Amino acid sequence: MLLDVGPLRRNLAFRRLFASQFISGLGTMVSYVAVPWQLYELTHSNAQVGLLGLVQLIPVVACGLLGGAVADRVDRKRLLIGSEALMALCLLGLLANALGAAPSVLAIYALVAVLQGASGFHRPALEALTQKLARPEEFSAVAALSSVRGTVGMVAGPALAGLLLAKWGAVGAYVFDGVTFLAALFFIARIPRDAIGTVDTPGGRPHLLADLAEGLRFAWKRPVLMGTYIVDIVAMAFAFPVALFPAMAAADGRTESVGWLLSAMSVGALLIGLFSGWTGKVSRHGRAVVIAAAVWALGIVALGFAPGLLLGLACLAVAGAADMVSGVFRGTIWNETIPNTLRGRLAGIEMISYLTGPLIGNARAGFMADAWGVAPAIWVGGSICLVGVIATGLCLPRFWAYRSAAAST
């Protein structure tokens, strides 16, 4: 039942990559709370916070596809270092803006858009490098470790962000995130070159557009992959309530509540992740993804009707636990079914699937909350999500029936 940490014990290169992303992920989650909090403080508008998602949408789509193609052509370690460095520069820009006498809302939107564009190169390089460093029999354990790594950041990061925001405002949060990027760069630079190997040559592909077309065709022809993307987009687009957390915290009367709300989802996810050893024995991965996404939707519906903050936190914990299960099995499916020569491009598509959903979801939640109120925006979206993920499983029977050969042996 316990989390399998074998890949960390056996593999120095993977351990250093894991450490780098653990540290930078913690800082990223601090800024993830700080940016919408600062926007809400400046504008007092849920719609303005939700608009942040739409601002990031174009960089996610454009740079996710382009970054995936680049990651399959160039040195993935150098690409990871370059993208981390650019993200650190964006944090310096946010810090400088926050230190100004009158922080600019437009500057926040612009810097976050560039930051999101940089992540479009960062994530494919990270996923392709991770697959390269792990053995096939370790893919389930690596997926669980990666999910736990992110979840620990999502538990500690928002809670830390609440404390930093209450004491030093957005300035303290941005300083902390900038320092974590520097630490992450140190660990990435120390990944041994011989563990990475050579970059696969593009062969007869003449340019990046040919690479992109090949990756898109590969995904389109595989219902199992398409099912993972569609379920995640539906779940996040209709049942992602994070844009409403500043308003919920304001209603609660405590600034720290915004961190507690985001941490609650991660607490549930962390509990599942720490006892994720059982996931390596599950073979029906497609079914597990759909069921977990349906439980996520039910948790968000319950949040919309929760009468107080404590019950709301419990609903978010249940939803976060379900999202962790879905994420582990989606990650395992991706690594099992995608060759490393295509891993960067498909990681770009994956990034679009799991980032566009929350970005659209934040915008949907913000505008719907201003029109109907916070609670209806939550439970109506959760209900639509429940119907959508069940329909996806029914419409893609090969995805629903997918079984992992590795898990069943």
Side-chain angles (χ1 to χ4, degrees), residues 97-183:
N97 183 58
L99 288 170
S104 167
V105 170
L106 183 60
I108 294 174
Y109 286 140
L111 287 166
V112 168
V114 176
L115 184 64
Q116 198 65 72
S119 72
F121 291 87
H122 175 273
R123 192 72 189 192
L126 172 64
E127 295 294 341
L129 192 55
T130 299
Q131 188 194 48
K132 193 80 169 179
L133 297 179
R135 299 196 299 266
E137 63 270 21
E138 296 176 326
F139 285 158
S140 289
V142 167
L145 283 167
S146 298
S147 295
V148 168
R149 178 192 69 212
T151 302
V152 170
M154 287 188 284
V155 171
L160 178 60
L163 297 175
L164 291 170
L165 292 172
K167 190 168 182 64
W168 293 294
V171 170
Y174 297 147
V175 167
F176 179 86
D177 194 6
V179 171
T180 64
F181 272 118
L182 295 177

Side-chain angles (χ1 to χ4, degrees), residues 154-155 158-159 241-242 244-246 248-249 252 254-271 295-296 298-322 378:
M154 287 188 284
V155 171
V242 172
L244 304 181
F245 287 174
M248 294 170 69
D252 183 59
R254 289 174 286 188
T255 300
E256 298 90 336
S257 297
V258 69
W260 299 344
L261 287 163
L262 194 53
S263 291
M265 290 192 293
S266 304
V267 167
L270 181 59
L271 290 175
V295 175
W296 156 270
L298 290 172
I300 300 302
V301 170
L303 173 65
F305 292 101
L309 182 65
L310 287 179
L311 285 177
L313 294 175
C315 294
L316 287 169
V318 171
I378 294 173

Side-chain angles (χ1 to χ4, degrees), residues 183-199:
L185 287 168
F186 169 77
F187 280 104
I188 296 171
R190 299 188 67 224
I191 296 175
R193 173 61 53 191
D194 57 357
I196 301 173
T198 59
V199 180

Side-chain angles (χ1 to χ4, degrees), residues 1 35 40 123 152 204 219 278 289 313 359:
M1 288 291 293
V35 170
Y40 191 77
R123 192 72 189 192
V152 170
W278 59 273
V289 170
L313 294 175
L359 297 178

